[in-house]
Amino acid sequence: PPRSTLDRSSAASDVYKRQGHSDRDIRRVARSGLRCARTIYAQLGKPPRCGRCLQEAERLVQEVHDAVSDELPSSSAPG
């Protein structure tokens, strides 16, 4: 399908696949605790090729860490 019909997530995944990184790779490394997209790229062994790739990686990292923080018990919860 034309790129205009792809959702943003699919487009980002296409970019990572061409560069040897999938969104799954980015998320896996982000779950290990890393928060910097550039550091994650370094961990995966390839630098980002463009600013857009880095922005998409940052978005994925933020999603991972938002999900993790949602899973953590609240400090104000009785327990």
Short mmCIF file of all heavy atoms in Angstrom, two decimals:
data_model
loop_
_atom_site.label_atom_id
_atom_site.label_comp_id
_atom_site.label_asym_id
_atom_site.label_seq_id
_atom_site.Cartn_x
_atom_site.Cartn_y
_atom_site.Cartn_z
N PRO A 1 0.83 -1.20 0.00
CA PRO A 1 0.00 0.00 0.00
C PRO A 1 0.87 1.26 0.00
O PRO A 1 2.01 1.22 0.47
CB PRO A 1 -0.80 -0.10 1.28
CG PRO A 1 -0.09 -1.07 2.14
CD PRO A 1 0.72 -1.93 1.23
N PRO A 2 0.35 2.35 -0.48
CA PRO A 2 1.12 3.60 -0.44
C PRO A 2 1.43 3.98 1.00
O PRO A 2 0.65 3.69 1.91
CB PRO A 2 0.19 4.62 -1.08
CG PRO A 2 -0.96 3.88 -1.62
CD PRO A 2 -0.94 2.51 -1.07
N ARG A 3 2.58 4.63 1.20
CA ARG A 3 2.99 5.00 2.55
C ARG A 3 1.91 5.82 3.27
O ARG A 3 1.75 5.70 4.47
CB ARG A 3 4.30 5.78 2.53
CG ARG A 3 4.69 6.16 3.92
CD ARG A 3 6.15 6.33 4.21
NE ARG A 3 7.08 5.34 3.80
CZ ARG A 3 7.37 4.23 4.47
NH1 ARG A 3 6.74 3.94 5.57
NH2 ARG A 3 8.29 3.42 4.03
N SER A 4 1.17 6.64 2.54
CA SER A 4 0.15 7.48 3.17
C SER A 4 -0.95 6.65 3.84
O SER A 4 -1.63 7.13 4.72
CB SER A 4 -0.48 8.42 2.15
OG SER A 4 -1.11 7.69 1.13
N THR A 5 -1.10 5.39 3.43
CA THR A 5 -2.13 4.55 4.04
C THR A 5 -1.60 3.76 5.23
O THR A 5 -2.38 3.15 5.95
CB THR A 5 -2.73 3.55 3.02
OG1 THR A 5 -1.70 2.67 2.59
CG2 THR A 5 -3.34 4.28 1.85
N LEU A 6 -0.30 3.78 5.43
CA LEU A 6 0.27 3.07 6.56
C LEU A 6 0.12 3.89 7.82
O LEU A 6 0.27 5.11 7.79
CB LEU A 6 1.76 2.79 6.33
CG LEU A 6 2.10 1.86 5.18
CD1 LEU A 6 3.61 1.83 4.98
CD2 LEU A 6 1.58 0.47 5.44
N ASP A 7 -0.16 3.23 8.92
CA ASP A 7 -0.18 4.00 10.16
C ASP A 7 1.24 4.30 10.59
O ASP A 7 2.19 3.72 10.10
CB ASP A 7 -1.00 3.30 11.25
CG ASP A 7 -0.38 2.01 11.75
OD1 ASP A 7 0.83 1.82 11.57
OD2 ASP A 7 -1.12 1.21 12.33
N ARG A 8 1.37 5.21 11.50
CA ARG A 8 2.69 5.69 11.92
C ARG A 8 3.56 4.57 12.46
O ARG A 8 4.75 4.50 12.21
CB ARG A 8 2.46 6.76 12.99
CG ARG A 8 3.63 7.58 13.27
CD ARG A 8 3.25 8.64 14.26
NE ARG A 8 4.44 8.97 14.98
CZ ARG A 8 4.69 10.12 15.50
NH1 ARG A 8 3.81 11.06 15.42
NH2 ARG A 8 5.80 10.34 16.13
N SER A 9 2.96 3.69 13.21
CA SER A 9 3.70 2.59 13.80
C SER A 9 4.29 1.67 12.73
O SER A 9 5.43 1.24 12.83
CB SER A 9 2.76 1.81 14.72
OG SER A 9 3.45 0.88 15.47
N SER A 10 3.51 1.38 11.70
CA SER A 10 4.01 0.53 10.62
C SER A 10 5.14 1.21 9.87
O SER A 10 6.12 0.58 9.51
CB SER A 10 2.89 0.21 9.63
OG SER A 10 1.91 -0.57 10.24
N ALA A 11 5.01 2.51 9.65
CA ALA A 11 6.07 3.25 8.96
C ALA A 11 7.35 3.22 9.77
O ALA A 11 8.44 3.02 9.24
CB ALA A 11 5.62 4.69 8.70
N ALA A 12 7.24 3.40 11.08
CA ALA A 12 8.42 3.36 11.94
C ALA A 12 9.05 1.98 11.90
O ALA A 12 10.27 1.85 11.81
CB ALA A 12 8.03 3.72 13.38
N SER A 13 8.24 0.96 11.93
CA SER A 13 8.76 -0.40 11.88
C SER A 13 9.50 -0.66 10.57
O SER A 13 10.55 -1.29 10.56
CB SER A 13 7.61 -1.38 12.06
OG SER A 13 8.09 -2.69 12.18
N ASP A 14 8.96 -0.14 9.47
CA ASP A 14 9.64 -0.27 8.17
C ASP A 14 11.02 0.35 8.21
O ASP A 14 11.98 -0.20 7.70
CB ASP A 14 8.82 0.39 7.06
CG ASP A 14 7.55 -0.37 6.73
OD1 ASP A 14 7.41 -1.51 7.19
OD2 ASP A 14 6.71 0.21 6.04
N VAL A 15 11.12 1.53 8.82
CA VAL A 15 12.41 2.22 8.91
C VAL A 15 13.40 1.36 9.69
O VAL A 15 14.53 1.15 9.25
CB VAL A 15 12.25 3.60 9.58
CG1 VAL A 15 13.61 4.21 9.91
CG2 VAL A 15 11.46 4.53 8.69
N TYR A 16 13.01 0.86 10.83
CA TYR A 16 13.92 0.05 11.63
C TYR A 16 14.35 -1.21 10.92
O TYR A 16 15.50 -1.60 10.99
CB TYR A 16 13.28 -0.31 12.98
CG TYR A 16 13.05 0.87 13.85
CD1 TYR A 16 11.81 1.15 14.37
CD2 TYR A 16 14.10 1.75 14.16
CE1 TYR A 16 11.60 2.25 15.17
CE2 TYR A 16 13.89 2.85 14.96
CZ TYR A 16 12.64 3.10 15.46
OH TYR A 16 12.44 4.19 16.24
N LYS A 17 13.43 -1.84 10.20
CA LYS A 17 13.77 -3.07 9.49
C LYS A 17 14.82 -2.82 8.43
O LYS A 17 15.73 -3.61 8.24
CB LYS A 17 12.52 -3.69 8.88
CG LYS A 17 11.62 -4.32 9.91
CD LYS A 17 10.34 -4.81 9.27
CE LYS A 17 9.38 -5.28 10.34
NZ LYS A 17 8.06 -5.55 9.78
N ARG A 18 14.70 -1.69 7.71
CA ARG A 18 15.69 -1.37 6.69
C ARG A 18 17.07 -1.13 7.32
O ARG A 18 18.07 -1.36 6.70
CB ARG A 18 15.26 -0.12 5.91
CG ARG A 18 14.18 -0.39 4.91
CD ARG A 18 14.04 0.76 3.94
NE ARG A 18 13.80 2.04 4.58
CZ ARG A 18 12.59 2.52 4.90
NH1 ARG A 18 11.52 1.81 4.65
NH2 ARG A 18 12.46 3.70 5.45
N GLN A 19 17.09 -0.67 8.54
CA GLN A 19 18.36 -0.39 9.20
C GLN A 19 18.84 -1.54 10.07
O GLN A 19 19.88 -1.46 10.69
CB GLN A 19 18.22 0.86 10.08
CG GLN A 19 18.03 2.10 9.27
CD GLN A 19 18.01 3.32 10.15
OE1 GLN A 19 18.24 3.25 11.33
NE2 GLN A 19 17.76 4.44 9.55
N GLY A 20 18.10 -2.59 10.11
CA GLY A 20 18.49 -3.73 10.91
C GLY A 20 17.95 -3.71 12.33
O GLY A 20 18.28 -4.57 13.13
N HIS A 21 17.11 -2.73 12.66
CA HIS A 21 16.49 -2.66 13.98
C HIS A 21 14.99 -2.73 13.82
O HIS A 21 14.41 -2.03 13.01
CB HIS A 21 16.82 -1.34 14.69
CG HIS A 21 18.27 -1.10 14.89
ND1 HIS A 21 19.13 -2.03 15.41
CD2 HIS A 21 19.03 -0.01 14.63
CE1 HIS A 21 20.34 -1.53 15.47
NE2 HIS A 21 20.32 -0.31 15.00
N SER A 22 14.37 -3.57 14.59
CA SER A 22 12.90 -3.60 14.59
C SER A 22 12.41 -2.86 15.83
O SER A 22 13.19 -2.61 16.76
CB SER A 22 12.40 -5.05 14.63
OG SER A 22 12.72 -5.63 15.87
N ASP A 23 11.14 -2.49 15.82
CA ASP A 23 10.60 -1.85 17.02
C ASP A 23 10.70 -2.81 18.20
O ASP A 23 10.89 -2.39 19.34
CB ASP A 23 9.19 -1.32 16.81
CG ASP A 23 8.20 -2.35 16.31
OD1 ASP A 23 8.59 -3.46 15.93
OD2 ASP A 23 7.00 -2.03 16.32
N ARG A 24 10.64 -4.10 17.94
CA ARG A 24 10.80 -5.10 18.99
C ARG A 24 12.19 -5.01 19.62
O ARG A 24 12.35 -5.09 20.84
CB ARG A 24 10.55 -6.49 18.43
CG ARG A 24 10.67 -7.60 19.46
CD ARG A 24 10.34 -8.94 18.89
NE ARG A 24 10.79 -9.08 17.50
CZ ARG A 24 10.34 -9.98 16.66
NH1 ARG A 24 9.43 -10.84 17.04
NH2 ARG A 24 10.80 -10.04 15.44
N ASP A 25 13.23 -4.82 18.78
CA ASP A 25 14.60 -4.66 19.29
C ASP A 25 14.70 -3.43 20.18
O ASP A 25 15.29 -3.48 21.27
CB ASP A 25 15.61 -4.51 18.14
CG ASP A 25 15.77 -5.77 17.31
OD1 ASP A 25 15.53 -6.88 17.83
OD2 ASP A 25 16.14 -5.63 16.12
N ILE A 26 14.15 -2.32 19.70
CA ILE A 26 14.21 -1.06 20.46
C ILE A 26 13.50 -1.24 21.80
O ILE A 26 14.03 -0.87 22.85
CB ILE A 26 13.55 0.09 19.67
CG1 ILE A 26 14.25 0.32 18.33
CG2 ILE A 26 13.51 1.37 20.51
CD1 ILE A 26 15.61 0.93 18.38
N ARG A 27 12.31 -1.82 21.77
CA ARG A 27 11.54 -2.02 23.01
C ARG A 27 12.27 -2.96 23.98
O ARG A 27 12.28 -2.72 25.19
CB ARG A 27 10.16 -2.57 22.70
CG ARG A 27 9.25 -1.58 22.03
CD ARG A 27 7.93 -2.26 21.63
NE ARG A 27 7.13 -1.43 20.77
CZ ARG A 27 6.30 -0.50 21.20
NH1 ARG A 27 6.16 -0.28 22.47
NH2 ARG A 27 5.61 0.21 20.33
N ARG A 28 12.86 -4.02 23.44
CA ARG A 28 13.56 -4.99 24.30
C ARG A 28 14.69 -4.30 25.06
O ARG A 28 14.84 -4.47 26.28
CB ARG A 28 14.13 -6.13 23.45
CG ARG A 28 14.94 -7.16 24.22
CD ARG A 28 15.48 -8.26 23.32
NE ARG A 28 16.11 -7.78 22.10
CZ ARG A 28 17.37 -7.33 22.03
NH1 ARG A 28 18.11 -7.27 23.11
NH2 ARG A 28 17.87 -6.93 20.88
N VAL A 29 15.49 -3.51 24.37
CA VAL A 29 16.60 -2.82 25.03
C VAL A 29 16.08 -1.76 25.99
O VAL A 29 16.61 -1.60 27.09
CB VAL A 29 17.59 -2.23 23.99
CG1 VAL A 29 18.69 -1.46 24.67
CG2 VAL A 29 18.18 -3.35 23.13
N ALA A 30 15.01 -1.07 25.61
CA ALA A 30 14.42 -0.06 26.50
C ALA A 30 13.93 -0.70 27.80
O ALA A 30 14.07 -0.12 28.88
CB ALA A 30 13.29 0.67 25.81
N ARG A 31 13.38 -1.91 27.71
CA ARG A 31 12.90 -2.60 28.92
C ARG A 31 14.03 -2.93 29.88
O ARG A 31 13.80 -3.14 31.06
CB ARG A 31 12.16 -3.88 28.54
CG ARG A 31 10.74 -3.63 28.12
CD ARG A 31 9.95 -4.93 27.98
NE ARG A 31 8.91 -4.72 27.00
CZ ARG A 31 8.97 -5.06 25.72
NH1 ARG A 31 10.04 -5.68 25.24
NH2 ARG A 31 7.98 -4.80 24.91
N SER A 32 15.26 -2.98 29.38
CA SER A 32 16.39 -3.26 30.27
C SER A 32 16.74 -2.06 31.14
O SER A 32 17.57 -2.16 32.02
CB SER A 32 17.62 -3.68 29.44
OG SER A 32 18.19 -2.55 28.79
N GLY A 33 16.07 -0.92 30.87
CA GLY A 33 16.27 0.26 31.70
C GLY A 33 16.86 1.45 30.96
O GLY A 33 16.87 2.55 31.50
N LEU A 34 17.36 1.25 29.76
CA LEU A 34 17.93 2.37 29.02
C LEU A 34 16.83 3.31 28.58
O LEU A 34 15.76 2.88 28.17
CB LEU A 34 18.71 1.87 27.80
CG LEU A 34 19.97 1.07 28.11
CD1 LEU A 34 20.62 0.60 26.83
CD2 LEU A 34 20.95 1.90 28.92
N ARG A 35 17.10 4.61 28.64
CA ARG A 35 16.11 5.61 28.28
C ARG A 35 16.54 6.48 27.11
O ARG A 35 15.72 7.19 26.54
CB ARG A 35 15.79 6.52 29.47
CG ARG A 35 15.06 5.79 30.56
CD ARG A 35 14.66 6.77 31.65
NE ARG A 35 13.79 6.14 32.60
CZ ARG A 35 12.47 6.16 32.54
NH1 ARG A 35 11.88 6.79 31.55
NH2 ARG A 35 11.75 5.57 33.44
N CYS A 36 17.79 6.46 26.75
CA CYS A 36 18.31 7.31 25.68
C CYS A 36 18.32 6.53 24.36
O CYS A 36 18.96 5.48 24.25
CB CYS A 36 19.72 7.78 26.03
SG CYS A 36 20.52 8.70 24.72
N ALA A 37 17.62 7.06 23.36
CA ALA A 37 17.52 6.36 22.07
C ALA A 37 18.90 6.18 21.43
O ALA A 37 19.19 5.13 20.86
CB ALA A 37 16.59 7.12 21.14
N ARG A 38 19.77 7.17 21.55
CA ARG A 38 21.12 7.04 20.98
C ARG A 38 21.90 5.91 21.65
O ARG A 38 22.60 5.16 21.00
CB ARG A 38 21.90 8.35 21.11
CG ARG A 38 21.44 9.41 20.15
CD ARG A 38 22.37 10.62 20.19
NE ARG A 38 21.83 11.71 19.44
CZ ARG A 38 21.96 11.86 18.12
NH1 ARG A 38 22.62 10.96 17.44
NH2 ARG A 38 21.43 12.90 17.51
N THR A 39 21.74 5.80 22.96
CA THR A 39 22.41 4.73 23.70
C THR A 39 21.86 3.37 23.28
O THR A 39 22.61 2.39 23.15
CB THR A 39 22.24 4.94 25.22
OG1 THR A 39 22.75 6.22 25.56
CG2 THR A 39 22.98 3.87 26.01
N ILE A 40 20.57 3.31 23.05
CA ILE A 40 19.95 2.06 22.61
C ILE A 40 20.47 1.67 21.23
O ILE A 40 20.82 0.51 21.00
CB ILE A 40 18.41 2.17 22.64
CG1 ILE A 40 17.94 2.21 24.10
CG2 ILE A 40 17.76 1.01 21.88
CD1 ILE A 40 16.49 2.50 24.29
N TYR A 41 20.58 2.63 20.33
CA TYR A 41 21.16 2.34 19.01
C TYR A 41 22.58 1.81 19.17
O TYR A 41 22.97 0.85 18.51
CB TYR A 41 21.16 3.58 18.12
CG TYR A 41 19.94 3.71 17.25
CD1 TYR A 41 18.84 4.43 17.67
CD2 TYR A 41 19.90 3.12 16.00
CE1 TYR A 41 17.72 4.56 16.87
CE2 TYR A 41 18.80 3.24 15.18
CZ TYR A 41 17.71 3.96 15.63
OH TYR A 41 16.62 4.08 14.83
N ALA A 42 23.36 2.45 20.04
CA ALA A 42 24.74 1.99 20.27
C ALA A 42 24.75 0.55 20.80
O ALA A 42 25.56 -0.27 20.38
CB ALA A 42 25.46 2.92 21.24
N GLN A 43 23.83 0.26 21.70
CA GLN A 43 23.72 -1.08 22.27
C GLN A 43 23.39 -2.10 21.18
O GLN A 43 23.89 -3.23 21.19
CB GLN A 43 22.62 -1.10 23.34
CG GLN A 43 22.41 -2.39 24.04
CD GLN A 43 23.44 -2.65 25.11
OE1 GLN A 43 24.03 -1.72 25.64
NE2 GLN A 43 23.66 -3.90 25.43
N LEU A 44 22.58 -1.69 20.21
CA LEU A 44 22.20 -2.58 19.11
C LEU A 44 23.26 -2.65 18.02
O LEU A 44 23.18 -3.48 17.12
CB LEU A 44 20.86 -2.13 18.51
CG LEU A 44 19.66 -2.32 19.43
CD1 LEU A 44 18.43 -1.63 18.86
CD2 LEU A 44 19.38 -3.80 19.66
N GLY A 45 24.25 -1.76 18.08
CA GLY A 45 25.39 -1.86 17.18
C GLY A 45 25.33 -1.04 15.91
O GLY A 45 26.23 -1.14 15.08
N LYS A 46 24.28 -0.24 15.73
CA LYS A 46 24.19 0.61 14.54
C LYS A 46 23.68 1.99 14.93
O LYS A 46 22.69 2.09 15.65
CB LYS A 46 23.23 0.02 13.50
CG LYS A 46 23.72 -1.23 12.86
CD LYS A 46 22.75 -1.66 11.79
CE LYS A 46 23.20 -2.96 11.15
NZ LYS A 46 22.25 -3.40 10.12
N PRO A 47 24.32 3.04 14.42
CA PRO A 47 23.83 4.39 14.74
C PRO A 47 22.58 4.71 13.94
O PRO A 47 22.35 4.13 12.88
CB PRO A 47 24.99 5.29 14.30
CG PRO A 47 25.65 4.52 13.19
CD PRO A 47 25.51 3.06 13.58
N PRO A 48 21.76 5.64 14.44
CA PRO A 48 20.60 6.05 13.65
C PRO A 48 21.06 6.75 12.38
O PRO A 48 22.08 7.42 12.37
CB PRO A 48 19.85 7.02 14.58
CG PRO A 48 20.88 7.50 15.54
CD PRO A 48 21.87 6.38 15.69
N ARG A 49 20.32 6.58 11.31
CA ARG A 49 20.69 7.19 10.04
C ARG A 49 20.06 8.56 9.85
O ARG A 49 20.50 9.33 9.02
CB ARG A 49 20.28 6.29 8.88
CG ARG A 49 21.10 5.04 8.83
CD ARG A 49 20.75 4.27 7.59
NE ARG A 49 21.68 3.16 7.44
CZ ARG A 49 21.63 2.32 6.46
NH1 ARG A 49 20.71 2.43 5.53
NH2 ARG A 49 22.51 1.34 6.38
N CYS A 50 19.01 8.84 10.59
CA CYS A 50 18.35 10.14 10.41
C CYS A 50 17.67 10.56 11.70
O CYS A 50 17.46 9.75 12.60
CB CYS A 50 17.34 10.08 9.27
SG CYS A 50 15.91 9.03 9.61
N GLY A 51 17.32 11.82 11.76
CA GLY A 51 16.63 12.34 12.93
C GLY A 51 15.26 11.73 13.13
O GLY A 51 14.81 11.54 14.26
N ARG A 52 14.60 11.41 12.03
CA ARG A 52 13.27 10.80 12.14
C ARG A 52 13.36 9.43 12.82
O ARG A 52 12.52 9.08 13.65
CB ARG A 52 12.63 10.68 10.76
CG ARG A 52 11.24 10.14 10.83
CD ARG A 52 10.57 10.19 9.49
NE ARG A 52 9.24 9.63 9.62
CZ ARG A 52 8.44 9.43 8.63
NH1 ARG A 52 8.81 9.75 7.41
NH2 ARG A 52 7.25 8.90 8.82
N CYS A 53 14.38 8.67 12.46
CA CYS A 53 14.57 7.35 13.08
C CYS A 53 14.77 7.51 14.58
O CYS A 53 14.22 6.74 15.37
CB CYS A 53 15.79 6.66 12.48
SG CYS A 53 15.68 6.37 10.72
N LEU A 54 15.56 8.50 14.94
CA LEU A 54 15.82 8.74 16.35
C LEU A 54 14.55 9.17 17.08
O LEU A 54 14.29 8.70 18.19
CB LEU A 54 16.91 9.81 16.48
CG LEU A 54 17.64 9.89 17.80
CD1 LEU A 54 18.24 8.54 18.19
CD2 LEU A 54 18.72 10.94 17.71
N GLN A 55 13.75 10.00 16.44
CA GLN A 55 12.48 10.42 17.04
C GLN A 55 11.54 9.24 17.25
O GLN A 55 10.90 9.13 18.30
CB GLN A 55 11.79 11.47 16.18
CG GLN A 55 12.46 12.81 16.19
CD GLN A 55 11.83 13.78 15.21
OE1 GLN A 55 11.09 13.38 14.30
NE2 GLN A 55 12.12 15.05 15.37
N GLU A 56 11.48 8.36 16.28
CA GLU A 56 10.61 7.18 16.42
C GLU A 56 11.12 6.27 17.53
O GLU A 56 10.35 5.71 18.30
CB GLU A 56 10.52 6.42 15.10
CG GLU A 56 9.72 7.14 14.04
CD GLU A 56 8.26 7.35 14.42
OE1 GLU A 56 7.67 6.54 15.17
OE2 GLU A 56 7.70 8.36 13.97
N ALA A 57 12.44 6.13 17.63
CA ALA A 57 13.01 5.31 18.71
C ALA A 57 12.70 5.94 20.06
O ALA A 57 12.35 5.23 21.02
CB ALA A 57 14.51 5.16 18.52
N GLU A 58 12.81 7.26 20.16
CA GLU A 58 12.49 7.95 21.41
C GLU A 58 11.03 7.74 21.79
O GLU A 58 10.70 7.54 22.96
CB GLU A 58 12.80 9.44 21.29
CG GLU A 58 14.29 9.72 21.28
CD GLU A 58 14.62 11.16 20.92
OE1 GLU A 58 13.71 11.93 20.52
OE2 GLU A 58 15.81 11.50 21.02
N ARG A 59 10.15 7.76 20.79
CA ARG A 59 8.73 7.51 21.05
C ARG A 59 8.51 6.09 21.59
O ARG A 59 7.78 5.89 22.55
CB ARG A 59 7.92 7.72 19.76
CG ARG A 59 6.41 7.58 19.95
CD ARG A 59 5.67 7.69 18.63
NE ARG A 59 6.04 6.64 17.69
CZ ARG A 59 5.59 5.39 17.74
NH1 ARG A 59 4.78 5.02 18.70
NH2 ARG A 59 5.96 4.51 16.84
N LEU A 60 9.17 5.12 20.99
CA LEU A 60 9.06 3.73 21.46
C LEU A 60 9.59 3.58 22.88
O LEU A 60 8.99 2.90 23.71
CB LEU A 60 9.80 2.79 20.52
CG LEU A 60 9.19 2.59 19.14
CD1 LEU A 60 10.15 1.82 18.25
CD2 LEU A 60 7.86 1.88 19.23
N VAL A 61 10.71 4.22 23.16
CA VAL A 61 11.30 4.17 24.50
C VAL A 61 10.32 4.76 25.52
O VAL A 61 10.10 4.18 26.58
CB VAL A 61 12.66 4.91 24.54
CG1 VAL A 61 13.16 5.07 25.96
CG2 VAL A 61 13.69 4.17 23.70
N GLN A 62 9.73 5.90 25.17
CA GLN A 62 8.77 6.53 26.07
C GLN A 62 7.57 5.62 26.32
O GLN A 62 7.11 5.49 27.45
CB GLN A 62 8.31 7.87 25.50
CG GLN A 62 7.45 8.66 26.47
CD GLN A 62 8.20 9.03 27.73
OE1 GLN A 62 9.32 9.51 27.67
NE2 GLN A 62 7.58 8.79 28.87
N GLU A 63 7.08 4.97 25.27
CA GLU A 63 5.96 4.03 25.43
C GLU A 63 6.32 2.91 26.40
O GLU A 63 5.52 2.54 27.26
CB GLU A 63 5.57 3.44 24.08
CG GLU A 63 4.79 4.35 23.20
CD GLU A 63 4.43 3.70 21.87
OE1 GLU A 63 4.67 2.48 21.70
OE2 GLU A 63 3.92 4.42 21.00
N VAL A 64 7.51 2.36 26.25
CA VAL A 64 7.95 1.27 27.13
C VAL A 64 8.00 1.74 28.57
O VAL A 64 7.47 1.09 29.47
CB VAL A 64 9.34 0.72 26.69
CG1 VAL A 64 9.95 -0.15 27.77
CG2 VAL A 64 9.21 -0.04 25.39
N HIS A 65 8.61 2.89 28.81
CA HIS A 65 8.76 3.36 30.18
C HIS A 65 7.44 3.84 30.77
O HIS A 65 7.23 3.68 31.98
CB HIS A 65 9.87 4.41 30.26
CG HIS A 65 11.21 3.79 30.07
ND1 HIS A 65 11.82 3.01 31.03
CD2 HIS A 65 12.04 3.77 29.00
CE1 HIS A 65 12.96 2.56 30.58
NE2 HIS A 65 13.13 3.00 29.34
N ASP A 66 6.53 4.36 29.94
CA ASP A 66 5.20 4.70 30.43
C ASP A 66 4.47 3.43 30.87
O ASP A 66 3.82 3.42 31.91
CB ASP A 66 4.38 5.41 29.36
CG ASP A 66 4.83 6.85 29.13
OD1 ASP A 66 5.63 7.38 29.93
OD2 ASP A 66 4.38 7.44 28.13
N ALA A 67 4.58 2.38 30.08
CA ALA A 67 3.91 1.11 30.40
C ALA A 67 4.49 0.52 31.68
O ALA A 67 3.75 0.01 32.52
CB ALA A 67 4.05 0.13 29.25
N VAL A 68 5.79 0.60 31.83
CA VAL A 68 6.44 0.07 33.04
C VAL A 68 5.99 0.85 34.26
O VAL A 68 5.66 0.26 35.29
CB VAL A 68 7.98 0.09 32.90
CG1 VAL A 68 8.66 -0.18 34.23
CG2 VAL A 68 8.43 -0.93 31.87
N SER A 69 5.94 2.16 34.16
CA SER A 69 5.53 2.97 35.32
C SER A 69 4.06 2.73 35.66
O SER A 69 3.68 2.81 36.82
CB SER A 69 5.82 4.45 35.10
OG SER A 69 5.03 4.96 34.06
N ASP A 70 3.23 2.42 34.66
CA ASP A 70 1.83 2.10 34.93
C ASP A 70 1.70 0.78 35.67
O ASP A 70 0.74 0.58 36.41
CB ASP A 70 1.03 2.01 33.62
CG ASP A 70 0.79 3.37 32.99
OD1 ASP A 70 1.00 4.40 33.67
OD2 ASP A 70 0.41 3.39 31.81
N GLU A 71 2.66 -0.11 35.49
CA GLU A 71 2.63 -1.42 36.13
C GLU A 71 3.15 -1.39 37.57
O GLU A 71 2.88 -2.28 38.35
CB GLU A 71 3.44 -2.43 35.34
CG GLU A 71 2.85 -2.72 33.97
CD GLU A 71 3.77 -3.56 33.10
OE1 GLU A 71 4.84 -3.99 33.59
OE2 GLU A 71 3.42 -3.79 31.94
N LEU A 72 3.93 -0.36 37.91
CA LEU A 72 4.50 -0.26 39.25
C LEU A 72 3.43 0.12 40.26
O LEU A 72 2.55 0.93 39.96
CB LEU A 72 5.62 0.78 39.28
CG LEU A 72 6.84 0.47 38.44
CD1 LEU A 72 7.80 1.66 38.48
CD2 LEU A 72 7.53 -0.77 38.93
N PRO A 73 3.53 -0.43 41.47
CA PRO A 73 2.55 -0.04 42.49
C PRO A 73 2.76 1.42 42.87
O PRO A 73 3.87 1.92 42.91
CB PRO A 73 2.87 -0.97 43.67
CG PRO A 73 4.19 -1.58 43.37
CD PRO A 73 4.46 -1.41 41.92
N SER A 74 1.66 2.10 43.12
CA SER A 74 1.73 3.50 43.51
C SER A 74 2.28 3.61 44.93
O SER A 74 1.97 2.81 45.81
CB SER A 74 0.32 4.09 43.45
OG SER A 74 0.32 5.39 44.00
N SER A 75 3.10 4.63 45.17
CA SER A 75 3.68 4.81 46.51
C SER A 75 2.62 5.23 47.51
O SER A 75 2.81 5.11 48.71
CB SER A 75 4.81 5.84 46.47
OG SER A 75 4.31 7.08 45.99
N SER A 76 1.47 5.73 47.04
CA SER A 76 0.42 6.15 47.95
C SER A 76 -0.59 5.03 48.22
O SER A 76 -1.48 5.20 49.02
CB SER A 76 -0.32 7.37 47.38
OG SER A 76 -0.92 7.04 46.15
N ALA A 77 -0.41 3.91 47.55
CA ALA A 77 -1.33 2.78 47.75
C ALA A 77 -1.05 2.12 49.09
O ALA A 77 0.09 1.98 49.49
CB ALA A 77 -1.17 1.78 46.62
N PRO A 78 -2.10 1.71 49.77
CA PRO A 78 -1.88 1.00 51.04
C PRO A 78 -1.20 -0.33 50.78
O PRO A 78 -1.40 -0.96 49.77
CB PRO A 78 -3.29 0.80 51.58
CG PRO A 78 -4.24 1.06 50.46
CD PRO A 78 -3.50 1.83 49.42
N GLY A 79 -0.35 -0.70 51.67
CA GLY A 79 0.28 -1.97 51.41
C GLY A 79 1.21 -2.32 52.42
O GLY A 79 1.86 -3.12 52.78
#
